[in-house]
């Protein structure tokens, strides 16, 4: 089971999409074969996309220009110390710039999806069963021996594999070369089921960003609202996509980031009060409850009398003023100079 904050982002985004567009999506129904999704990945628009938003991965995806889920799954498996050196080979073969070859015709159908490169542990197991009559259990033993570099076990398997392959009509030299390849490549072998899980989520999050960028970025910012660096990066990405991010405002902001409209009537994202540094859940709840009970605040005095500023606290109130969350009520300088008096009004 994957316990990931990304799953929360996806669930929140789908909820927003349902509310705003009437489209029902969930983790089981987000498409994984959408052309625009792979275009987004290929142009490196991957900030906030699961597993692939790093600089190195972004560069390789732009070189790869993935066409289908299988390409992304392979990239997830290959992008690790060791197998990374084979990524250019995979990309060149994928685009027909390098010939794909196999030591033996038997291997073609097994390694075809990865252009002849042993990427997944399951490929080695299938090939051993197909080429040398290994049982499933024996093939799993071979997988363990290769991945854990067990010298004695590898020597036994080498002998067993070559004998089994020769019995099936494979030349001894060819069988030895195949096993040597596996030792060299497959010690980096990745579990395909694991890579597929990650690859699917990468493609699904890319789909949400490609088709519902405002809802996806709203959910992303909300889930990572306490990570200041990430918030800054994602807000910049929103602006790059021409999505307006409105400043925090005690009269319109919620705890989390929220989809709202700007002054021009365009869809925008409102900065969440809970994302303001030094302002926790409790202070925000006090403000939201006061607003819910009496409507928008009309002045600083109105705000101070209706909100329990003892619950908000001086530090949180100062932070809200400094980021402009009370700008429509008074000037920042005046409020900062009168901070103690504002809190006293609330206490009274």
């Amino acid at each position: 089971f994957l316990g990931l904050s990304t799953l929360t982002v996806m669930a929140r985004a789908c909820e927003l999409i349902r509310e705003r567009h009437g489209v029902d999506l969930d983790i089981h129904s987000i498409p994984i074969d959408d052309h625009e999704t792979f275009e987004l990945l290929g142009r490196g628009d991957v900030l906030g996309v699961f597993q692939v938003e790093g600089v190195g991965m972004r560069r390789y995806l732009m070189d790869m220009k993935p066409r289908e889920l299988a390409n992304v799954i392979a990239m997830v498996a290959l992008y690790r110390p060791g197998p990374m050196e084979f990524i250019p080979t995979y990309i060149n073969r994928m685009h027909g710039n390098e010939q794909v070859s196999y030591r033996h015709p038997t291997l073609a159908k097994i390694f075809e999806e990865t252009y002849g490169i042993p990427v997944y542990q399951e490929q080695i197991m299938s090939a051993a069963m197909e080429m040398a009559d290994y049982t499933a259990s024996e093939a799993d033993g071979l997988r363990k021996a290769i991945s854990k570099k067990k010298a004695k076990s590898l020597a036994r398997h080498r002998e067993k594999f070559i004998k089994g392959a020769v019995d099936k009509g494979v030349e001894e030299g060819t069988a030895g070369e195949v096993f040597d390849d596996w030792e060299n490549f497959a010690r980096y072998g990745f579990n395909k089921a694991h890579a597929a899980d990650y690859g699917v989520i990468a493609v699904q999050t890319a789909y949400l960003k490609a088709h519902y960028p405002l809802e996806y970025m709203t959910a992303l910012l909300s889930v990572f609202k306490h990570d200041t660096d990430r918030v800054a990066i994602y807000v910049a990405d929103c602006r790059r996509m021409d999505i307006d991010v409105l400043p925090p405002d005690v009269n319109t902001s919620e705890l989390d980031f929220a989809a709202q409209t700007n002054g021009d009537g365009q869809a925008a994202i409102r900065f969440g009060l809970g994302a303001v540094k030094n302002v926790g859940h409790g202070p925000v709840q006090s403000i939201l409850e006061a607003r819910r009970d009496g409507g928008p605040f009309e002045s600083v005095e109105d705000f101070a009398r209706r909100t329990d500023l003892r619950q908000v606290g001086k530090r949180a109130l100062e932070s809200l003023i400094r980021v402009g969350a009370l700008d429509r009520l008074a000037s920042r300088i005046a409020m900062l100079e009168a901070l103690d008096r504002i809190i006293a009004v609330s206490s009274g």
Side-chain angles (χ1 to χ4, degrees):
F1 291 95
L2 290 173
L4 299 165
S5 53
T6 303
L7 299 179
T8 306
V9 173
M10 293 168 74
R12 285 195 178 203
C14 288
E15 191 178 325
L16 274 171
I17 292 163
R18 198 172 299 117
E19 288 172 7
R20 291 173 53 78
H21 303 283
V23 177
D24 276 322
L25 288 174
D26 60 31
I27 196 167
H28 305 294
S29 62
I30 298 171
I32 52 175
D33 57 357
D34 172 69
H35 178 69
E36 287 180 50
T37 298
F38 294 108
E39 280 195 343
L40 177 139
L41 292 168
R43 66 175 179 265
D45 186 4
V46 292
L47 273 177
V49 176
F50 177 67
Q51 200 71 19
V52 299
E53 67 176 342
V55 174
M57 180 69 90
R58 177 176 177 267
R59 187 179 71 247
Y60 280 128
L61 282 173
M62 291 172 74
D63 290 342
M64 175 187 266
K65 300 282 187 288
R67 298 188 287 248
E68 58 184 359
L69 175 62
N71 301 148
V72 180
I73 293 172
M75 184 63 83
V76 168
L78 287 168
Y79 193 77
R80 294 173 299 116
M84 281 179 75
E85 65 185 89
F86 305 122
I87 292 176
T89 302
Y90 180 100
I91 292 171
N92 285 331
R93 291 182 178 186
M94 173 185 165
H95 291 293
N97 299 324
E98 187 178 307
Q99 188 176 354
V100 179
S101 59
Y102 304 96
R103 293 285 189 188
H104 191 271
T106 308
L107 301 176
K109 64 181 179 182
I110 297 167
F111 293 99
E112 181 181 22
E113 69 166 324
T114 52
Y115 306 99
I117 302 168
V119 174
Y120 309 117
Q121 294 174 351
E122 289 90 337
Q123 287 176 309
I124 304 298
M125 293 169 66
S126 295
M129 292 162 72
E130 185 74 26
M131 200 171 179
D133 267 346
Y134 267 55
T135 64
S137 175
E138 289 168 340
D140 190 49
L142 171 62
R143 174 192 66 78
K144 289 176 184 174
I146 291 174
S147 63
K148 295 180 180 176
K149 304 176 191 173
K150 295 182 175 179
K152 289 183 181 177
S153 182
L154 277 170
R156 284 196 301 272
H157 274 291
R158 192 176 201 283
E159 185 179 335
K160 175 179 171 54
F161 175 80
I162 292 173
K163 182 180 184 308
V166 168
D167 288 346
K168 292 196 73 174
V170 180
E171 289 186 7
E172 185 174 338
T174 301
E177 288 171 349
V178 168
F179 197 89
D180 290 343
D181 284 347
W182 291 354
E183 272 199 80
N184 291 332
F185 285 89
R187 66 177 179 273
Y188 306 122
F190 204 67
N191 179 286
K192 187 180 181 182
H194 186 80
D197 279 342
Y198 276 38
V200 166
I201 294 174
V203 169
Q204 288 180 322
T205 51
Y207 175 90
L208 293 174
K209 186 175 183 183
H211 291 274
Y212 301 100
L214 185 134
E215 290 76 16
Y216 184 68
M217 297 306 288
T218 301
L220 192 69
L221 284 161
S222 292
V223 170
F224 294 107
K225 65 179 178 287
H226 297 305
D227 188 332
T228 309
D229 291 339
R230 277 203 188 196
V231 167
I233 290 167
Y234 294 152
V235 165
D237 199 40
C238 286
R239 290 178 174 144
R240 181 192 60 79
M241 293 187 286
D242 291 326
I243 297 172
D244 195 8
V245 180
L246 306 171
D249 186 323
V250 291
N251 273 341
T252 52
S253 288
E254 303 294 335
L255 172 67
D256 291 329
F257 288 78
Q260 294 182 2
T261 53
N262 63 16
D264 299 326
Q266 301 295 314
I269 299 173
R270 175 67 71 179
F271 207 95
L273 294 179
V276 177
K277 202 169 183 179
N278 302 323
V279 181
H281 185 271
V284 176
Q285 285 306 119
S286 295
I287 294 168
L288 295 181
E289 282 170 18
R291 192 175 82 200
R292 205 161 31 240
D293 293 342
F297 304 109
E298 295 178 4
S299 64
V300 175
E301 291 75 21
D302 182 38
F303 174 77
R305 291 188 186 283
R306 285 166 47 199
T307 308
D308 187 349
L309 295 182
R310 290 166 300 181
Q311 294 292 320
V312 173
K314 184 176 180 178
R315 190 181 185 205
L317 181 58
E318 183 179 350
S319 295
L320 288 168
I321 292 169
R322 288 188 183 281
V323 299
L326 284 83
D327 275 6
R328 68 170 72 196
L329 304 183
S331 79
R332 294 185 201 183
I333 294 173
M335 286 187 285
L336 289 171
E337 287 177 350
L339 200 57
D340 290 329
R341 290 201 301 278
I342 294 169
I343 294 170
V345 168
S346 179
S347 300

